[in-house]
Structure formats: C-alpha cells, structure tokens
Amino acid sequence: MTEPVRILPATDAAIAEAAALLCAGQLVAFPTETVYGLGGDATDDRAVAAIFAAKGRPSFNPLISHLPDVEKARELAVFTPLAETLAAAFWPGPLTLVLSRRPDCPVSHLACAGLDTIALRVPAHPVARRLLEAVGRPVVAPSANPSGRVSPTSAQHVAEGLSGRLALVLDGGPCAIGLESTVVDATGDRPVLLRPGGVTLEALEQVAGPVITPERDPDAPSSPGQLASHYAPALPVRLNATDVKPDEALLGFGPTLPGAAVTLNLSDSGDLQEAAANLFAMLRRLDRPGLAGIAVMTLPETGLGHAINDRLRRASAPR
Ligand code: TXA
Ligand code: MG
C-alpha cells in the first residue's frame, strides 16, 4: 500500500505551502471550477516530466498552462483578435485557448509536446487563482487522474488515483462545473473546437460566430491527446440504454428505468448543469466490482449535453 497523500483544506497557510512546493519543483493537486488539476511549474522540465510520469500520460499529449489573469497569458502567446474576444467573454472560466507560443515563452517544450502552439487557461476558482498568484509562474495542470481514467471532482478522487505520486492535495470541495474546460484553437479568425467542455458551443457562437467542429467539418483537427478511450471506469459502459439488466448499474437522467442493481440519477429534473456536476462522481460510485456494467440513459446533445456525451462516448469506447 502507498502512503495516503496529504490533503489540506485550502486555507491561506495551505495555499502558501502549496505555492512553495510548486516553486521547488514538486507536484500539487488543486481545485478548479472544472476538475482538480495535477499542478507543476510549467517552466521546469523535470516537474513537467514528473506530471507525465505520475499520470502515465503519453508525452505526445500536451498540457494546459494556467495563469492568474489575461495579462500573464499574453506574455506567453500571440493573442489574435479572436483570442482577445474569447478571453474577454469567458476568462476567468472554463475555456482553454490554443495559441502560437511567443519566441520568448518560458514554458517547457515538453509541456507543449514540442508543438509551436500552447494551451492557456485562466480558471475562475478562488483557490486556483490565489495559488497561481502566489506561484508567480505558469502552472501546467492536467486533470489529476491516471491517464485514461475518470477525472477527479473532489480531493478524495485525487487521492484514490494518485496517492504516492504527488506532494499535496489542496481541498476546495467539489467542483462546481464538473467537466473539463472547452479547448478552442484561436490562432486563426474562426474558432476551432478541439474539445467540448464547460463553455457550450452555443455560448461560443454567440460571442465569436460560427465554430468549426469535427462533427461539421471532417477536416477539422482535434486535440492531439483526444484518445477514443478516455474517462473510463473499470466496468464497461453501455450508452442510450432503454432497458437495464438486474446485474447492471444505471446512470439515469430524468425519469429512470426500473430494474437495475443500483441506480444514480444525474438529474431528476433533467437539468444538464446538475448532470455535468454529478457525472464523474456518479461514474465512480457506480463502478463496483461484481456488476456486469454501467448502463447510461440518453442525454440531449444541446448545451452542456454536448460535452457530457463526448465524455460518455469515450468512457464507452473499446479499450
Ligand atoms: O478543465 C481543464 O481543462 C482541466 C483543469 C485542471 O484545468 N485540465 C485538463 O487538462 O483537462 P488535460 O491535460 O486533461 O487536457 C488538456 C487538453 C488535451 O485534450 C490536450 O490535447 C489539449 O488540452 N491541448 C493542450 N495543449 C494543446 C495544444 N498545443 N494544441 C492542441 N490541444 C492542446
Ligand atoms: Mg484529462
């Protein structure tokens, strides 16, 4: 058994300690409004390499650099007019912008998987913002889970997956959004959706006009690390269930089906925001030995449903 990792409530003293650990090249998990991140100093090649090792993440999958504000973000990348528009509308918040690295960008090339672009995000969570202010350097932070598995929306989830591989978890309670940030390539004059997430397609289009997506444009690129199987519990996942077997767990949405071994409802009232916040925690709770699988009811493709369905499709993909 590995030692359980230290979990500290995110007091001023704990945030100061976390910042000092990050500056010394250690890894610290911290809450954001989307999911918990596994943080490391983005300018330190060894810290970045330690993140890839802790997650078992393939090194061709680049990391997001987190900053406390847009001014700091502008020091790292070339902001197009589109990027300025999106940052003004959605930062701080669950949006990540992929932009061209500035020639003097100090972020480790390993963090960007050798690409000449960089992914930047200014999170809204008060603990994340205070931590980033205190560190004073960009912090890379993938979701704090072993690569390919369900993302963490609580400090306990982080400890379950990564104990022994990081110095500290800052506990800021459950994540309000519960899905990762929306990743948008904003290097051109039209936004390209690389990963659906906490900012909906509808909200992006209201601010920035038509978005290029893989569904609409077969030539559209997607994120380099977007693997078909991801967010996977140990049990197999079956989508669009219209019936359920007695040895299956049911993940419901709205009025549920009868007959499952165990049932959890993403949202009784069919609210997608509530469903997003519950998604990863409920997948974990249903992932019990002895069951045959997790059956999931259909969710609409609108609003946050687009990102929820993206995660569920990957959770159900052949492993
Ligand atoms: O909500 C989030 O985004 C969380 C919190 C902790 O901030 N982080 C997160 O990181 O989800 P991660 O590493 O699990 O996902 C990062 C995504 C991947 O799909 C990666 O391929 C994409 O961002 N990405 C990073 N850099 C990129 C780049 N230069 N070009 C295209 N995609 C990039
Ligand atoms: Mg992830």
Side-chain angles (χ1 to χ4, degrees), residues 32 34-38 55 57 61-64 66 96 98 111-112 115 117-119 121 141-143 179-181 183 194-195 223-226:
T32 82
T34 59
V35 299
Y36 276 70
L38 177 62
K55 281 182 61 87
R57 178 172 172 125
N61 188 2
L63 305 174
I64 299 170
H66 296 70
T96 293
V98 172
C112 298
L115 300 168
T117 53
I118 183 168
R121 166 154 127 84
S143 51
L179 290 175
E180 291 86 347
S181 61
V183 181
L194 299 180
R195 178 180 72 181
S223 269
Q226 286 284 72

